[in-house]
Amino acid sequence: MNVMINDISRDLDTTVQGVQVAITVFLLVMAALMIPGGKLTDRHGRKRCFLTGLVVYAVGALLSAAAPGLGVLILGNSILEGIGTALLIPPVYILTTLLYPDVTSRARAFGIIMALGGVGAAAGPLIGGLITTAISWRAAFVFQALVIAVIVWLSRHIDDPLPPDPTRSFDTGGAVLSAAGLVLVVMGILAADNNVWLMIGLLVLGALVLMWFFHWVRAREQSGREPLLSLGLFRNRTSNLGLVTQNVQWLLLMGSSFTVAAYLQVVRHYDAIQTGVIFTAATLGLLASSLSAERLAERRPQRTLIMTGFLVSVAGVAVLIALAGSFTTAWAFVPGLLLLGLGLGVMLTPSVNVVQSSFPEEQQGEISGLSRSVSNLGSSFGTAIAGTILVSGLTSGAYAAAMITLAVIGLGGLGAAALLPRPARRPQTHRRAGPLPRGVNP
């Protein structure tokens, strides 16, 4: 979507802000439904939810390809693809956690997942740009559906290590309240450049609905009924800090991606292929550091990796601001995007590992849904906050303001990472001076 901004805007007679809304709503639907999606894996099984999510995603892609206007595009791409993603993502993380019990092997498995995600992210803008330029942006959505068909065929060999439990209850009221609260908060951010009072009203209403959600959850727990999300998940300080770092990481990634892509296409007038080629720097950096996840996990504590990742990522944002203002060539964006990708790749895997490893197997469904929800909420915030600042002006000044905002938030993530517990030191053994007493074996 990021490399199709101009093409979609012209074809559907909409604006950059319209495409921003479509992207943000997609990320928001994922965030709002990721927790219910994680709970449904316990009731219906991880493989079944995975396959159902794939099919729903493919239907959304085909509907997007045939969209006559922005409304249908939002229905297909933002709603249906968002629902499909919320169903298929939690099983991936739950199955990985269950199948790889120790930290090192799990880090390797998550590293492979992140690396393959990096391959997809590197190929996506390029393939999308090529298809959009050579055929149409609609053909790019048909290509998505074809990729989904291949994944469905390959997934027939997946084994679910835990049987589904159809007797598990599902908290429908909690799902509705949590989704409504998140939607109102993000929509409030999107309204910032149109109406300040509407923004304040939506944010306040969203906060009240989320407070109602937590009251609802507490009441269900006290009555002995299973809530959508156990409040006990928030009593683990390490996990809470890990969730904050995940949220900020994805905020940085999606906020920077949308800001740079929109600036390149609308202000610099780059086409889809040129934009996709430039973004290869970020995705190659993400791929390179993700492939090193296992080796890094063996040599460095997870806290160190997350802090290093934030430092490198914020440095990348600073370079993107400095070079974009000094040079007109496309190569000026490559060093900053490369640093941003390297930094994010270093810390994505340890952040996931910190959160998932903080809970036993029976809570993996809940924490996986919460983890993915928090990450996708960060993506929504990134696109909404940075995108709203950018589309208010669509100038070099607005670009710098959006990127500076992201850098400041990234420093907040660094602060959260610094509060993670330090790894315990191994006890040192001290040699005795002189000979051992008689009768003592060396």
Side-chain angles (χ1 to χ4, degrees):
M1 287 285 283
N2 281 339
V3 300
M4 304 175 189
I5 292 173
N6 276 344
D7 298 87
I8 292 176
S9 299
R10 286 193 300 265
D11 195 11
L12 299 185
D13 193 25
T14 184
T15 62
V16 175
Q17 189 176 20
V19 180
Q20 178 208 4
V21 169
I23 296 173
T24 304
V25 171
F26 165 71
L27 298 168
L28 178 57
V29 169
M30 281 198 295
L33 299 182
M34 201 65 72
I35 296 174
K39 294 291 286 187
L40 287 174
T41 60
D42 295 327
R43 183 182 177 93
H44 300 290
R46 285 134 293 275
K47 182 175 181 179
R48 183 179 298 175
C49 287
F50 180 69
L51 292 174
T52 302
L54 288 169
V55 172
V56 173
Y57 191 103
V59 172
L62 294 175
L63 184 61
S64 300
L70 182 63
V72 177
L73 179 67
I74 290 176
L75 175 61
N77 173 255
S78 307
I79 306 299
L80 291 180
E81 289 193 8
I83 293 172
T85 307
L87 285 173
L88 71 90
I89 291 295
V92 173
Y93 288 87
I94 296 170
L95 288 170
T96 303
T97 304
L98 294 177
L99 294 172
Y100 297 92
D102 62 281
V103 172
T104 302
S105 64
R106 191 177 298 159
R108 180 176 65 250
F110 280 128
I112 292 172
I113 292 172
M114 295 298 179
L116 293 177
V119 172
L126 285 173
I127 295 173
L130 288 169
I131 295 175
T132 299
T133 304
I135 308 175
S136 166
W137 63 268
R138 299 178 186 275
F141 281 103
V142 175
F143 178 77
Q144 283 188 355
L146 294 176
V147 172
I148 291 294
V150 173
I151 299 173
V152 170
W153 181 74
L154 291 173
S155 64
R156 68 191 190 279
H157 296 303
I158 293 178
D159 292 322
D160 195 337
L162 293 178
D165 184 5
T167 62
R168 292 285 292 270
S169 61
F170 183 77
D171 182 9
T172 304
V176 172
L177 288 173
S178 64
L182 295 176
V183 167
L184 288 169
V185 169
V186 175
M187 288 304 176
I189 297 173
L190 289 173
D193 62 328
N194 293 326
N195 189 316
V196 174
W197 289 110
L198 177 61
M199 175 196 73
I200 295 173
L202 289 172
L203 290 175
V204 170
L205 185 58
L208 291 174
V209 173
L210 289 175
M211 289 173 62
W212 185 7
F213 164 69
F214 284 106
H215 176 75
W216 172 281
V217 168
R218 186 179 295 109
R220 285 185 67 92
E221 284 187 325
Q222 290 175 349
S223 64
R225 294 176 294 171
E226 183 177 359
L228 177 71
L229 185 68
S230 173
L231 294 181
L233 295 177
F234 296 101
R235 298 191 183 105
N236 188 308
R237 181 175 180 272
T238 300
S239 173
N240 289 343
L241 291 170
L243 290 172
V244 172
T245 63
Q246 283 188 20
N247 182 275
V248 178
Q249 288 163 16
W250 287 97
L251 187 153
L252 278 175
L253 176 60
M254 296 306 299
S256 300
S257 297
F258 179 83
T259 302
V260 174
Y263 179 73
L264 288 175
Q265 293 173 81
V266 179
V267 178
R268 296 287 182 92
H269 305 292
Y270 289 8
D271 61 25
I273 294 179
Q274 291 172 313
T275 305
V277 170
I278 292 170
F279 266 93
T280 303
T283 47
L284 288 179
L286 181 65
L287 173 62
S289 50
S290 296
L291 285 172
S292 305
E294 180 186 8
R295 192 181 316 114
L296 292 172
E298 292 174 347
R299 297 179 179 180
R300 295 288 184 270
Q302 295 183 117
R303 175 180 178 272
T304 303
L305 295 176
I306 297 172
M307 291 182 65
T308 302
F310 272 116
L311 287 171
V312 176
S313 298
V314 172
V317 174
V319 171
L320 281 170
I321 298 171
L323 295 186
S326 304
F327 301 94
T328 57
T329 175
W331 293 106
F333 292 87
V334 171
L337 288 173
L338 180 62
L339 284 173
L340 183 65
L342 286 170
L344 289 166
V346 165
M347 60 180 168
L348 284 176
T349 296
S351 286
V352 171
N353 224 346
V354 163
V355 175
Q356 298 284 154
S357 301
S358 298
F359 296 92
E361 288 187 4
E362 58 268 19
Q363 290 184 290
Q364 286 301 314
E366 280 187 300
I367 192 57
S368 177
L370 176 61
S371 174
R372 296 303 92 211
S373 178
V374 167
S375 296
N376 284 290
L377 187 60
S379 300
S380 302
F381 283 154
T383 307
I385 295 171
T388 298
I389 296 172
L390 181 70
V391 299
S392 64
L394 280 175
T395 62
S396 57
Y399 165 82
M403 297 301 285
I404 289 171
T405 302
L406 293 173
V408 171
I409 297 174
L411 292 175
L414 174 62
L419 295 175
L420 287 168
R422 297 176 181 272
R425 293 185 177 182
R426 295 179 180 178
Q428 296 181 348
T429 57
H430 301 280
R431 292 181 177 272
R432 290 180 65 96
L436 290 172
R438 181 175 298 179
V440 177
N441 293 323

